[in-house]
Amino acid sequence: MTQYDRDKVWEFPCEICFKVMATNRDGIDMEVAEVVNRHAPNDYSPTSKLSRDGNYVSLSFMVTVENREQVDAMYKDVFTVDGVKMTL
């Protein structure tokens, strides 16, 4: 696997696709959007895609971030939402 320095790959500010995989349940999209909005305020409407059996959902947000610390905090904080399994 290739190692890279995010500060050299990303030029801040930049727009990233923040993707979250979670257990599918009512309100999960709004709870994740609330966390994203806390770190990068905007009016988010994530795109979502259900898994084949409908047990999981993938939520994607296009987010403008100002620095690496903001990105790290958002990725860490989203795991406080019940049902979040993975981020990309």
Side-chain angles (χ1 to χ4, degrees):
M1 183 159 95
T2 304
Q3 295 293 320
Y4 65 93
D5 183 347
R6 286 182 299 177
D7 291 335
K8 292 180 182 174
V9 174
W10 291 347
E11 291 185 26
F12 294 103
C14 65
E15 187 174 55
I16 64 169
C17 181
F18 182 71
K19 187 172 275 195
V20 177
M21 273 60 119
T23 303
N24 184 26
R25 63 174 175 77
D26 286 339
I28 189 78
D29 56 340
M30 297 309 294
E31 289 179 42
V32 172
E34 185 178 306
V35 170
V36 172
N37 194 49
R38 220 177 295 149
H39 294 279
N42 203 333
D43 185 23
Y44 294 106
S45 296
T47 58
S48 64
K49 183 177 179 182
L50 289 175
S51 65
R52 182 179 355 176
D53 295 328
N55 296 323
Y56 299 95
V57 63
S58 167
L59 303 168
S60 298
F61 300 81
M62 293 309 295
V63 180
T64 301
V65 291
E66 301 295 325
N67 54 56
R68 183 184 61 173
E69 293 78 16
Q70 181 185 21
V71 175
D72 292 344
M74 189 167 47
Y75 274 96
K76 181 179 177 186
D77 198 18
V78 78
F79 280 101
T80 65
V81 176
D82 185 42
V84 170
K85 302 294 183 189
M86 178 188 301
T87 59
L88 296 175

